[in-house]
């Protein structure tokens, strides 16, 4: 070993745990740190993934294989009319909730950021209040609104003698999930909207762009990262949420409810497990597809990944 | 043909009550480059935005392009090109897409559009960057793209708001020269906002010097530099030295000395200042160091700075505040030394003393 290297070795090398800090908090530099150290840093994440995700998933998957139909259970759930209908219904409703929430919150969030008026902070606070409510409370509120004794029913009864009740079906669930999703999406939209550069819009307008073009070419691309990430959370939550549905009615055929009934009432564990895997895989696939589809455009936008 | 722009009786009070612009008139001739010059907050950007259609004048103001009243017309219809200090390029589009955007909005068909985009990129020397993303460009390259994007649609007027302020000094000078050449070549009417006196002098056919929402002076760079019409303009364009004196029967008295050859025309009152207290504004060339027997004044050197081709002295004891005087770079002068100097009366700009005209 040459003397130069020797001096370098001897000089103020940070002690082992300290030398990890730049790896964790610093910018990734290519070739930084040995593979062993990097593996060590990955360890906590790997343990969590294994303990809470991979192992239970494997156990669930094994339950499917252990069932009376074995791996054919997957085929069963995709051909059984009731299961398939529930799958599609859940997908459509979650997609619908997500799109509706994105449109509503896109408009409201942009408006709240762009305008200063009395009561603005109160409205923002009210819109984000449901953030803390569990699904059961949201279900309870939907019943208060659209249940048999609900506000909407009473009003329509008084007006034209017909009680409109939709709390105990998929429409009620849709309203509940929408209510549940609004705060998350609106906060994300407002955060992205604050960061929009007004001069971009002015530049577009100076080039002759009418309002709809400014929205399409400047505002939407700027909001896209926020819309994608909050939409993903919104969709995943709607796919898997259970509390609201359970509070509203036990015969709403969304997938989490079907899984629950198969598991507890029918003791059809293999089917429940297969449906669980299908639910997870489908949610994951949709989110991955959205990311691929808008991801490129969105990330080359105003920064901030989905 | 380039567009003539007229602003008549325009003023701006913002919703929160801020009076950004007092009523003013301004005519910008077709093909002319006008520079709006003034310190931060004096209302330059507001004028530019009024011409663009991003702000509307208070009631009573009229803006016309070639005689067409555009006062109530929105920016989309005005055909103005805008260039911002922050570039404001679309981050979700490539360089070529940015430049093509206005043409696309105007419905220029694909083939012609591509040809025009290519010509623009070539003219701005950024043709090799066509497919780059905006975040892969340097500041200077971004501003070239912004210029190309603005002129691609052949606007009636090009509006530039401190386009070079975010760039480093060397690049600023180079791009300034290029913008100057571009504006001459296109023959387009242009309004250029800056707080930098040198930039204003280099680019403007005429300069509008602004002070707190009012026009302090309009003139050619030469007029602004040599004949500032009031102390604010004099100070802002670099004649920051001040002495006080007296006019008696058309002759200037400073202390015990009398000077004949002064230009004491007061443009604001349209008359020669004949009598009364005056303030004298001048650059470093208003006083020159000399030997004791030729000197009008003697001051004390407070600071010495080496400017390469000359030495700049900050001297107290001559005016009410310290003044700057230039001397040969080779002179050896220490802080605290006495310095003798003569007044170059033809370099003084004479204004009535504040009490007389405020
Ligand atoms: N939207 C606005 N609302 C209230 N005041 C404003 C607004 N825009 C500018 N001002 C005020 O108007 C004055 C002139 O601003 P501006 O034209 O931007 O100055 P400059 O470009 O010369 O720095 C400043 O005092 C500024 O604070
Ligand atoms: Mg400004």
């Amino acid at each position: 070993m040459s003397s130069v290297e020797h001096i370098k070795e001897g000089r103020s090398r940070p002690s082992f745990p300290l030398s990890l800090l730049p790896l964790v908090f610093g910018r990734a530099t290519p070739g930084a740190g040995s593979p062993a150290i990097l593996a060590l840093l990955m360890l906590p994440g790997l343990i969590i993934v294994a303990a809470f995700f991979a192992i239970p998933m494997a156990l669930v998957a094994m339950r499917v294989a252990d069932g009376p139909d074995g791996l054919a259970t997957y085929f069963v759930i995709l051909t059984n009319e009731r299961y398939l209908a529930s799958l599609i219904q859940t997908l459509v409703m979650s997609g619908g909730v997500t799109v509706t929430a994105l449109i509503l919150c896109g408009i409201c969030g942009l408006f709240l950021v762009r305008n200063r008026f009395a009561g603005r902070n109160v409205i923002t606070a009210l819109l984000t209040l449901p953030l803390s409510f569990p699904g059961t409370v949201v279900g309870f509120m939907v019943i208060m609104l659209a249940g048999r004794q609900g506000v909407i029913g009473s009003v329509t009864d008084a007006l034209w003698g017909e009680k409109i009740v939709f709390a105990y079906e998929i429409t009620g669930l849709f309203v509940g999930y929408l209510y549940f999703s609004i705060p998350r999406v609106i906060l994300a939209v407002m955060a992205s909207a604050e960061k929009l550069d007004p001069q971009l819009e002015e530049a577009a307008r100076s080039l002759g762009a009418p309002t709809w073009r400014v929205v399409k070419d400047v505002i939407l691309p700027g909001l896209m990262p926020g819309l994608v990430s909050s939409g993903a959370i919104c969709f995943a939550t709607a796919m898997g949420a259970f509390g609201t549905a359970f509070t509203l009615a036990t015969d709403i055929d969304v997938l989490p409810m079907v899984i629950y009934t198969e598991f507890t009432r029918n003791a059809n564990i293999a089917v429940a497990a297969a449906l669980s895997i299908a639910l997870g895989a489908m949610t994951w696939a949709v989110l991955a597809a959205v990311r691929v589809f808008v991801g490129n455009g969105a990330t080359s936008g105003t920064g901030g990944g989905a | 043909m380039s567009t003539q722009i007229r602003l008549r009786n325009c003023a701006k009070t913002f919703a929160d009550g801020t009076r950004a612009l007092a009523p003013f008139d301004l005519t910008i001739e077709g093909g002319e480059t006008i520079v709006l010059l003034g310190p931060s907050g004096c209302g330059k950007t507001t004028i530019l935005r009024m011409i663009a259609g991003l702000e509307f004048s208070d009631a009573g103001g009229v803006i016309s392009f070639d005689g067409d009243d555009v006062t109530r017309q929105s920016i989309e219809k005005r055909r103005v090109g805008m260039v911002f200090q922050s570039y404001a390029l679309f981050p979700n589009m490539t360089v070529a897409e940015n430049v093509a955007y206005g043409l696309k909005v105007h419905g220029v068909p694909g083939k012609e559009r591509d040809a025009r985009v290519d010509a623009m990129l070539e003219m701005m020397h950024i043709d090799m960057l066509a497919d780059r993303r905006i975040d892969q460009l340097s500041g200077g390259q971004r501003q070239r793209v912004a210029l190309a994007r603005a002129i691609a649609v052949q606007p009636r007027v090009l509006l530039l708001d401190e386009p070079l302020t975010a760039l480093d000094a060397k690049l600023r000078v180079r791009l300034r020269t290029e913008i100057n050449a571009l504006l001459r070549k296109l023959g387009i009417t242009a309004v250029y906002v800056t707080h930098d006196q040198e930039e204003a002098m280099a680019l403007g056919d005429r300069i509008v010097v602004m002070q707190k929402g009012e026009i302090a002076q309009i003139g050619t760079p030469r007029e602004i530099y040599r004949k500032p019409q009031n102390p604010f303009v004099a100070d802002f364009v670099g004649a920051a030295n001040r002495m006080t004196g007296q006019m008696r029967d058309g002759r200037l008295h400073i202390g015990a000395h009398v000077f004949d050859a002064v230009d004491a025309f007061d443009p604001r009152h349209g008359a020669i200042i004949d009598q009364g207290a005056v303030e004298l504004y001048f650059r470093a060339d208003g006083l020159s160091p000399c030997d004791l027997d030729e000197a009008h004044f003697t001051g004390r050197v407070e600071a010495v700075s080496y400017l390469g081709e000359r030495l700049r002295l900050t001297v107290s004891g001559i005016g009410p505040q310290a003044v700057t005087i230039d001397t040969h770079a080779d002179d050896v002068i220490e802080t605290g030394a006495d310095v003798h100097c003569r007044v170059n009366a033809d370099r003084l700009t004479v204004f009535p003393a504040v009490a007389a005209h405020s």
Side-chain angles (χ1 to χ4, degrees):
Chain A
M1 184 184 270
S2 79
S3 61
V4 175
E5 270 171 320
H6 211 80
I7 291 168
K8 230 163 91 188
E9 276 293 313
R11 197 204 293 163
S12 69
R13 218 174 156 190
S15 60
F16 171 68
L18 278 184
S19 66
L20 287 182
L21 286 180
L23 277 177
V24 179
F25 298 106
R27 253 177 181 283
T29 42
S34 70
I37 291 181
L38 285 177
L40 195 66
L41 289 170
M42 291 279 292
L43 203 56
L46 284 175
I47 291 173
I48 290 173
V49 168
F52 295 102
F53 179 73
I55 295 171
M57 273 296 267
L59 289 177
V60 170
M62 269 155 65
R63 281 307 180 98
V64 179
D66 288 348
D69 297 326
L71 287 176
T73 316
Y74 291 114
F75 183 72
V76 171
I77 62 167
L78 286 176
T79 45
N80 178 306
E81 216 167 281
R82 185 168 152 248
Y83 299 144
L84 191 65
S86 146
L87 256 172
I88 291 171
Q89 169 152 291
T90 312
L91 260 181
V92 169
M93 188 208 52
S94 302
V97 166
T98 307
V99 170
T100 314
L102 288 178
I103 292 173
L104 279 181
C105 298
I107 295 168
C108 289
L110 207 55
F111 180 83
L112 283 172
V113 168
R114 294 284 167 100
N115 296 281
R116 294 282 175 271
F117 52 90
R120 175 178 169 274
N121 291 338
V122 177
I123 291 181
T124 310
L126 281 177
L127 281 171
T128 53
L129 189 68
L131 211 48
S132 57
F133 290 158
T136 347
V137 175
V138 173
F140 183 55
M141 287 169 136
V142 173
I143 292 175
M144 305 280 282
L145 184 74
R148 273 178 286 277
Q149 314 298 329
V151 180
I152 294 179
S154 317
V155 170
T156 51
D157 195 18
L159 282 181
W160 53 85
E162 194 187 340
K163 218 171 207 180
I164 293 187
V165 174
F166 57 80
Y168 313 103
E169 50 194 273
I170 196 85
T171 321
L173 197 58
F174 183 91
V175 171
Y177 284 172
L178 190 58
Y179 180 64
F180 195 71
S181 301
I182 281 174
R184 284 153 186 82
V185 182
I186 219 162
L187 285 179
V189 168
M190 286 177 75
S192 312
E194 300 273 10
K195 280 187 277 171
L196 288 179
D197 177 1
Q199 291 192 335
L200 282 184
E201 289 164 46
E202 293 173 0
R205 292 177 62 201
S206 76
L207 293 165
T211 308
W212 68 267
R213 270 209 98 119
V214 176
V215 171
K216 168 176 158 289
D217 296 330
V218 178
I219 297 182
L220 271 183
L223 294 182
M224 202 44 106
L227 291 179
V228 169
S229 59
S230 62
I233 291 177
C234 178
F235 179 78
T237 313
M239 284 293 286
F242 175 70
T244 313
F246 196 66
T247 313
L248 292 181
T250 40
D251 59 354
I252 297 179
D253 264 345
V254 287
L255 212 44
M257 284 300 284
V258 175
I259 294 172
Y260 176 79
T261 27
E262 291 302 329
F263 187 71
T264 56
R265 296 224 191 117
N266 307 345
N268 199 346
I269 294 171
V271 167
L275 286 172
S276 305
I277 300 251
L279 174 69
M282 240 169 23
T283 309
W284 180 86
V286 169
L287 295 185
V290 168
R291 234 163 253 181
V292 168
F293 187 64
V294 290
N296 298 331
T299 45
S300 74
T302 39
Chain B
M1 264 321 289
S2 342
T3 305
Q4 183 210 50
I5 296 169
R6 282 159 67 99
L7 296 101
R8 284 287 163 273
N9 196 29
C10 289
K12 185 71 197 179
T13 310
F14 281 106
D16 64 355
T18 309
R19 182 68 184 261
L21 291 170
F24 69 97
D25 294 341
L26 180 64
T27 301
I28 304 162
E29 298 302 337
E32 184 182 33
T33 301
I34 278 265
V35 175
L36 304 178
L37 173 68
S40 173
C42 68
K44 307 180 295 289
T45 297
T46 307
I47 294 189
L48 202 76
R49 291 172 64 83
M50 253 154 81
I51 298 173
L54 288 167
E55 304 283 0
F56 289 122
S57 164
D58 294 349
V62 177
I63 301 178
S64 57
F65 285 11
D66 272 344
D68 308 333
D69 186 341
V70 298
T71 312
R72 291 283 135 198
Q73 205 172 48
S74 63
I75 180 168
E76 302 92 285
K77 307 270 164 55
R78 283 197 195 183
R79 284 184 49 213
V80 294
M82 293 202 78
V83 177
F84 302 88
Q85 180 183 333
S86 64
Y87 320 119
L89 296 171
F90 306 125
N92 48 326
M93 303 180 197
T94 63
V95 167
E97 285 165 353
N98 264 277
V99 177
Y101 186 76
L103 299 171
K104 217 159 120 187
V105 168
H106 283 102
V108 177
K111 265 226 176 86
E112 187 193 338
R113 192 165 73 212
D114 291 347
R116 275 168 71 176
V117 168
D118 287 346
M120 280 300 137
L121 294 176
E122 207 165 305
M123 186 162 83
M124 295 310 301
H125 312 294
I126 44 173
D127 33 337
M128 62 294 182
L129 302 176
D131 298 321
R132 289 268 190 101
R133 290 212 330 250
I134 299 309
D135 55 11
Q136 299 169 321
L137 303 181
S138 70
Q141 290 170 335
R142 285 179 202 210
Q143 206 52 291
R144 285 167 195 273
V145 178
L147 276 162
R149 181 180 70 176
I151 56 183
V153 289
Q154 297 170 341
R156 300 177 81 177
V157 53
L158 189 59
L159 306 171
L160 308 104
D161 195 351
E162 312 223 13
L164 304 179
T165 304
L167 305 175
D168 66 68
K170 239 192 184 137
L171 193 57
R172 206 150 61 211
V173 172
R174 205 171 81 204
L175 216 47
R176 180 175 89 197
T177 317
E178 279 188 45
I179 290 179
N180 198 13
L182 182 72
L183 294 177
R184 309 293 140 191
K185 183 167 131 196
L186 296 174
I188 191 175
T189 311
V191 184
Y192 189 106
V193 164
T194 181
H195 62 264
D196 181 46
Q197 180 229 137
E198 214 180 286
E199 212 169 281
M201 299 277 167
L203 283 169
D205 292 317
R206 283 190 301 155
I207 296 173
V208 177
V209 185
M210 303 206 33
Q211 174 190 18
K212 291 187 190 145
E214 297 189 28
I215 293 178
Q217 183 171 355
I218 304 180
T220 63
R222 195 180 295 271
E223 284 164 356
I224 300 280
Y225 192 80
R226 278 292 163 215
K227 300 265 342 139
Q229 288 190 359
N230 55 56
F232 172 81
V233 176
D235 194 346
F236 197 76
V237 298
N241 289 328
R242 197 159 68 86
M243 287 195 297
T244 51
Q246 288 282 329
M247 289 300 292
R248 285 188 210 128
D249 303 325
R251 287 159 39 120
L252 173 63
H253 296 246
I254 311 175
H257 305 285
V258 184
F259 303 90
D260 283 324
V262 290
D263 177 4
F265 182 75
D266 179 6
R268 284 182 309 175
H269 299 98
I272 305 277
I273 309 165
D274 216 30
Q275 305 287 347
V278 290
E279 287 184 331
L280 310 160
Y281 281 76
F282 54 96
R283 296 189 173 74
D285 61 1
L287 291 169
S288 24
C290 61
D291 293 333
L292 178 59
D293 52 343
E294 297 178 327
H296 294 127
F297 298 102
T298 297
R300 207 179 93 95
V301 177
E302 298 290 343
V304 182
S305 40
Y306 181 66
L307 300 183
E309 74 276 26
R310 58 194 191 277
L311 217 50
R312 177 152 293 182
L313 313 176
T314 307
V315 179
S316 64
I318 295 181
Q321 289 115 31
V323 298
T324 53
I325 302 174
D326 284 355
T327 181
H328 293 296
D330 305 335
D331 291 352
V332 180
I333 296 176
E334 299 284 333
T335 306
D338 281 347
V339 60
H340 313 291
C341 53
R342 295 184 56 78
V343 173
N344 303 318
D346 59 333
R347 292 296 188 203
L348 304 179
T349 307
V350 182
F351 298 112
V354 175
H357 69 75
S358 66

